Amino acid sequence: MFRKLLLLPWFLAIFSFSQDTAHFDGKTWWDFVKVLAADNMEGRETGSASLRRAESYVVSQLQEAGLQPAGSDGFYQPVKFHSLQIVEKDSSLSLIRDGKTEPLTLGEDAYLSTRVDLAPEVQAPLVFVGWGLSIPELKYDDLAGLDLSGKVAVVISGSPSSLPGSLAAHYQSSAERWKALRKGGAVGILGIPNPASMDIPWSRIALNRAHVSMSLADPKFNDTDGEKLAVTFNPAHAAQLFTGSGHSFEEITALAKERKPLPRFPLAVSIKATASVEKKDVLSANVVAKLPGSDPELKNEYVVLSAHIDHVGIGEPVNGDRIYNGAMDNASGSAVLLDVAASLKKSGQKLKRSLLFVFVTGEEKGLLGSRYFTAYPTVDPKSMVADINIDMFLPIVPLKRLTVLGLAESDLGDAARQVADAHGVVVQADPQPERNIFIRSDQYNFIRHGIPALAMGVAPEPGNAAQSKIFKDWLTQRYHAPSDDLDQPVDLQAAALYEEIIRSLMISVADGAQRPQWKPDSFFRRYADHPGQY
Ligand SMILES: [Zn+2]
């Protein structure tokens, strides 16, 4: 069901009339979404036949738009995975207190995460490490002075407000976090979602644990080597971890809510885990297409437009629905790529640089398809000048304001600001850095290979409580739920304007005299300056 469209605001009407920028009407975009998020696409799980079907549809549309194959096998770049599924009936978790065992209920109290290679059995004391962050360049270290040897580190997600958002996000990635904890001798991580910044309620987090995890088959990508245990703990049941430690979980959450510094101390309990995991080989693919540029020199450079096409497949039913359609996450972004490609064919506009359209797999498994693509790009890695990533941009309110992730990191952010400005849209940096969304989508892998990147999403107007509620409710109810489907209200005009901004930004980069540059003070510049070192 659509939300009824509003009339075009006057300034847009004048703008589109005088500048003739109306390449989109929202309807062609929604038509693509309707195909990719249909029930018969079964939620596009990585490695599934239905994802392959969605990808072959994408390839047919790219061909129609006159794009050329740019994968390693035609339009495809095959990617090998291992899938990991916990067998809960043969697995268990308990706390050991004063020699006595207190069994935990899987799903209610906590669950075992297969994002690491779980050891069959682990028993270890627990240490609360607060935010669990170790940031050498800021001389910030939550692990300082703690004995972690042979222990499981208990962390709460998020970061103190004293740390810059992008930097804190980077050091919360599982790779960076584990690097520091491993150095300290820890054997595992028990994570407690911060109740103040949980996107989805525990009941649905617990349901989602039934989805299989995946890792890239190539062992070079294993960055949690030595992590024997990964547990996610229900914050509503976490008080029992703190009993007898001299601190209460209430005290911790009150500080965490304010993003204040947290105390760090050993807990009075140990954790005991038994894990049985089923492993399988899985084959999936990225889809890569190019539109060659017209400038004899610059056509050897690419502006990348990326979006993940996978979602989480079929899972536990919610209100009787088992298909996790992923209409916004991320049929919506894949549809923008297809729609932009079609619009370029229609307008016949020639761009100086080449464009690369990359539809990645395995995003929902931990940004794995983009990780593979950026490690083994199908074009010269130095030829990729920028990545504009589109993931769940949420056109669910009229578009007046865009959140730009990576806004201050490179001059790509300035270009985005200019383009948005010209369309009457205000840009803002991430207003909720504690949600870590900067590292939660595929732009992050491009950044880690030195390529300036950003991602943008529709944002509520500040002070507009009704709009804020629409976003909050969307995350609580639809994010990674079967109701992220075709029966949700969308604002087609917001989608059309978003596409217009993406298209203009892409063209401005493709025709720009200089390739985008990292800002001198950007933390992420290090990946461009010292490739392969971080
Ligand atoms: Zn997702």
Side-chain angles (χ1 to χ4, degrees):
M1 191 109 55
F2 296 74
R3 174 137 20 113
K4 200 107 173 86
L5 293 182
L6 300 165
L7 287 172
L8 210 59
W10 64 268
F11 58 88
L12 285 180
I14 289 169
F15 190 81
S16 40
F17 178 75
S18 62
Q19 307 247 324
D20 189 27
T21 56
H23 297 95
F24 305 101
D25 60 6
K27 289 188 200 129
T28 50
W29 168 76
W30 185 248
D31 284 342
F32 287 129
V33 176
K34 280 201 281 197
V35 176
L36 295 171
D39 277 354
N40 66 12
M41 290 296 182
E42 297 174 322
R44 307 183 307 279
E45 167 78 323
T46 297
S48 68
S50 34
L51 177 59
R52 279 196 285 283
R53 226 171 329 110
E55 290 187 335
S56 98
Y57 169 75
V58 160
V59 167
S60 72
Q61 296 306 307
L62 294 170
Q63 282 170 322
E64 193 132 310
L67 269 65
Q68 299 174 4
S72 52
D73 176 12
F75 283 93
Y76 296 95
Q77 178 186 42
V79 186
K80 287 180 186 158
F81 297 89
H82 292 142
S83 80
L84 303 153
Q85 182 139 41
I86 193 89
V87 185
E88 280 198 351
K89 66 175 177 48
D90 301 324
S91 306
S92 67
L93 274 177
S94 47
L95 298 179
I96 313 278
R97 192 189 307 275
D98 304 325
K100 281 189 224 103
T101 304
E102 302 172 4
L104 296 168
T105 305
L106 293 177
E108 258 177 58
D109 293 308
Y111 66 90
L112 287 150
S113 161
T114 44
R115 63 172 182 76
V116 307
D117 202 358
L118 293 167
E121 263 178 63
V122 174
Q123 182 171 339
L126 296 175
V127 183
F128 183 64
V129 298
W131 303 110
L133 291 167
S134 198
I135 307 181
E137 49 271 76
L138 295 181
K139 300 195 167 39
Y140 177 97
D141 192 3
D142 283 325
L143 312 182
L146 289 173
D147 175 15
L148 291 167
S149 182
K151 299 184 178 157
V152 168
V154 177
V155 302
I156 190 155
S157 56
S159 58
S161 56
S162 59
L163 302 179
S166 302
L167 199 58
H170 169 75
Y171 277 100
Q172 282 178 77
S173 66
S174 48
E176 293 303 324
R177 198 193 286 287
W178 180 243
K179 223 187 267 175
L181 285 168
R182 187 185 189 187
K183 217 158 126 197
V187 296
I189 301 178
L190 184 155
I192 310 174
N194 185 344
S197 59
M198 277 167 83
D199 279 345
I200 60 179
W202 178 264
S203 57
R204 289 212 297 104
I205 294 179
L207 281 183
N208 283 348
R209 78 188 193 279
H211 295 299
V212 301
S213 302
M214 288 189 197
S215 55
L216 287 163
D218 185 341
K220 101 168 203 185
F221 293 107
N222 180 3
D223 41 32
T224 55
D225 197 26
E227 190 172 343
K228 295 179 180 164
L229 181 66
V231 172
T232 305
F233 214 95
N234 182 352
H237 294 201
Q240 56 190 317
L241 297 170
F242 291 81
T243 311
S245 69
H247 295 268
S248 71
F249 186 57
E250 226 181 341
E251 165 199 340
I252 302 299
T253 48
L255 292 167
K257 190 173 178 196
E258 303 297 325
R259 305 186 62 210
K260 289 190 171 150
L262 296 175
R264 298 157 298 112
F265 47 88
L267 298 172
V269 286
S270 290
I271 191 155
K272 188 177 173 188
T274 317
S276 167
V277 178
E278 217 174 76
K279 283 188 202 176
K280 282 187 200 148
D281 290 333
V282 170
L283 184 64
S284 189
N286 295 321
V287 171
V288 194
K290 68 178 173 191
L291 188 64
S294 59
D295 183 277
E297 286 292 314
L298 294 178
K299 72 174 186 196
N300 298 317
E301 296 184 347
Y302 292 90
V303 182
V304 180
L305 211 55
S306 59
H308 76 87
I309 181 160
D310 68 298
H311 190 52
V312 298
I314 292 173
E316 290 298 308
V318 177
N319 298 327
D321 187 359
R322 305 182 62 94
I323 302 173
Y324 288 61
N325 304 72
M328 292 301 118
D329 187 12
N330 185 32
S332 70
S334 300
V336 170
L337 266 61
L338 294 180
D339 216 15
V340 167
S343 84
L344 288 169
K345 181 176 186 197
K346 209 166 150 196
S347 70
Q349 189 165 352
K350 294 273 170 275
L351 307 179
K352 290 181 182 159
R353 288 188 177 80
S354 299
L355 304 178
L356 200 66
F357 290 73
V358 184
F359 299 76
V360 295
T361 183
E363 189 273 351
E364 302 287 11
K365 308 301 181 189
L367 318 184
L368 299 181
S370 59
R371 183 133 190 236
Y372 190 85
F373 176 78
T374 51
Y376 300 114
T378 53
V379 298
D380 175 3
K382 290 194 192 70
S383 70
M384 293 186 280
V385 303
D387 169 53
I388 302 165
N389 186 53
I390 305 173
D391 186 6
M392 216 173 87
F393 67 98
L394 292 183
I396 53 177
V397 300
L399 173 51
K400 301 277 178 60
R401 180 170 284 258
L402 276 173
T403 294
V404 179
L405 304 175
L407 181 63
E409 309 296 343
S410 72
D411 54 17
L412 202 51
D414 303 324
R417 187 188 296 276
Q418 243 173 44
V419 166
D421 240 31
H423 289 85
V425 171
V426 176
V427 298
Q428 64 182 17
D430 186 1
Q432 293 174 293
E434 67 281 4
R435 283 179 59 222
N436 274 340
I437 49 181
F438 190 56
I439 65 162
R440 277 166 58 184
S441 190
D442 298 300
Q443 70 273 358
Y444 190 55
N445 282 318
F446 287 88
I447 291 165
R448 293 190 68 150
H449 284 83
I451 300 163
L454 53 73
M456 311 193 258
V458 179
E461 289 273 40
N464 186 329
Q467 285 192 355
S468 298
K469 186 173 181 316
I470 289 173
F471 279 88
K472 180 100 184 74
D473 287 352
W474 194 92
L475 288 174
T476 310
Q477 291 155 18
R478 296 190 196 270
Y479 177 56
H480 280 212
S483 58
D484 177 14
D485 62 10
L486 298 172
D487 291 325
Q488 64 186 305
V490 289
D491 187 320
L492 294 189
Q493 194 183 314
L497 181 53
Y498 180 88
E499 289 188 293
E500 202 68 61
I501 291 171
I502 290 284
R503 187 183 194 271
S504 308
L505 174 61
M506 193 186 68
I507 291 175
S508 80
V509 180
D511 285 346
Q514 299 287 329
R515 55 195 280 171
Q517 299 294 325
W518 290 100
K519 290 284 166 83
D521 59 348
S522 170
F523 164 78
F524 299 100
R525 192 189 170 89
R526 60 176 62 190
Y527 297 115
D529 290 350
H530 311 283
Q533 205 174 308
Y534 293 93

